[in-house]
Amino acid sequence: MIGVLVTFTQTDKFDRSTIAKIADELRGPFEGMAGLRLKSFMLAEDGVHARNFYVWDDEEKARAFFTQELVDKVTGVYGVPPEVEFLDVVGLVDNSGT
């Protein structure tokens, strides 16, 4: 498994309702996406950082998803370019099925 942390950093704070609207509008394409185990839309307490966290079953699919075209698209959505970090998931606790 591979995790991907995508961080958007504003000089001003993100509006929570705007991030919630983005999450609501963009969730559909991710539901049932092959190879994607989970995705979360998050806003840091400081309001300056919006983060999306993905867990993928397959590193190749994860890396193929994060194209320059996608980076350009989400830059337009969030208003700032993201930092994309790939992480080796060495363990995962998933209580969603219980």
Side-chain angles (χ1 to χ4, degrees):
M1 277 186 293
I2 187 165
V4 183
L5 181 61
V6 179
T7 303
F8 302 89
T9 304
Q10 279 278 25
T11 52
D12 297 323
K13 291 185 177 185
F14 283 102
D15 178 69
R16 187 185 188 288
S17 63
T18 299
I19 300 301
K21 182 178 178 187
I22 289 169
D24 186 52
E25 290 175 354
L26 297 182
R27 73 179 298 135
F30 295 101
E31 293 175 340
M33 182 179 278
L36 180 64
R37 183 173 290 205
L38 64 88
K39 177 189 184 347
S40 62
F41 296 84
M42 303 174 289
L43 182 61
E45 284 186 14
D46 64 10
V48 175
H49 299 95
R51 293 187 176 101
N52 296 336
F53 186 68
Y54 303 73
V55 175
W56 296 82
D57 290 322
D58 181 88
E59 181 174 351
E60 188 175 307
K61 287 181 182 176
R63 290 188 182 275
F65 180 76
F66 290 95
T67 63
Q68 186 59 51
E69 181 180 334
L70 178 80
V71 169
D72 293 343
K73 181 179 178 179
V74 297
T75 297
V77 171
Y78 285 86
V80 292
E83 175 186 339
V84 180
E85 183 178 3
F86 292 88
L87 307 160
D88 184 16
V89 176
V90 296
L92 180 69
V93 175
D94 182 358
N95 292 324
S96 62
T98 58

